Amino acid sequence: MEKVRYSTMTNISYYCLNDDENSLKLELFKYIHSVDFQKIHFEYDKKELTTNLFIKNESVIPFSQNKLVNEEIKKHGDDILPIVLVNGSIVKRGDFLSTDEMSDILGIGLSIQTD
């Protein structure tokens, strides 16, 4: 994962091909994407967290509007997805952020419990 400088606001954007990618990593993102989590994070860390989840099979507009994402797809095709941006910089291609990577970005410990 590439290093990104973080400020008092963190924006994490996921650009995915579809939403049926059965992945715990995507479920983790959907959890932090919730308003409830973002409120708790702000209360804990005093940093605003905004998230975006873009699904190409639902709308190609965000993919064509983001210059970095558009260039990556033109160069590598849809196989490069998902693409993860943090504060406007690409930090990961071809996979979602792991729990540890997400923890590092948010500055808090995260864990996933499964059956």
Side-chain angles (χ1 to χ4, degrees):
M1 185 170 92
E2 299 169 28
K3 293 291 179 187
V4 176
R5 192 170 190 197
Y6 304 106
S7 64
T8 57
M9 182 178 144
T10 302
N11 177 274
I12 304 172
S13 297
Y14 272 38
Y15 290 80
C16 308
L17 183 59
N18 54 50
D19 194 14
D20 63 0
E21 299 176 44
N22 202 3
S23 168
L24 287 176
K25 294 176 186 177
L26 181 57
E27 292 304 314
L28 172 65
F29 180 76
K30 287 179 179 179
Y31 176 70
I32 71 153
H33 187 59
S34 73
V35 173
D36 290 339
F37 179 86
Q38 292 176 14
K39 285 179 184 177
I40 291 168
H41 182 264
F42 182 79
E43 289 175 14
Y44 171 77
D45 203 24
K46 302 301 182 218
K47 289 184 180 180
E48 185 179 354
L49 172 64
T50 58
T51 57
N52 301 292
L53 178 58
F54 302 111
I55 308 296
K56 190 172 185 190
N57 288 346
E58 293 176 7
S59 175
V60 298
I61 294 170
F63 293 78
S64 59
Q65 289 179 337
N66 185 293
K67 183 180 176 183
L68 293 173
V69 172
N70 193 25
E71 288 176 4
E72 289 290 315
I73 292 172
K74 282 183 180 179
K75 186 187 270 187
H76 302 285
D78 286 346
D79 290 342
I80 197 71
L81 297 174
I83 297 174
V84 180
L85 276 67
V86 177
N87 296 339
S89 298
I90 296 175
V91 297
K92 196 150 193 181
R93 298 164 181 85
D95 197 6
F96 302 104
L97 294 174
S98 70
T99 305
D100 289 340
E101 291 167 331
M102 189 70 76
S103 293
D104 289 345
I105 290 168
L106 297 177
I108 59 174
L110 296 170
S111 65
I112 298 175
Q113 296 179 356
T114 60
D115 292 334

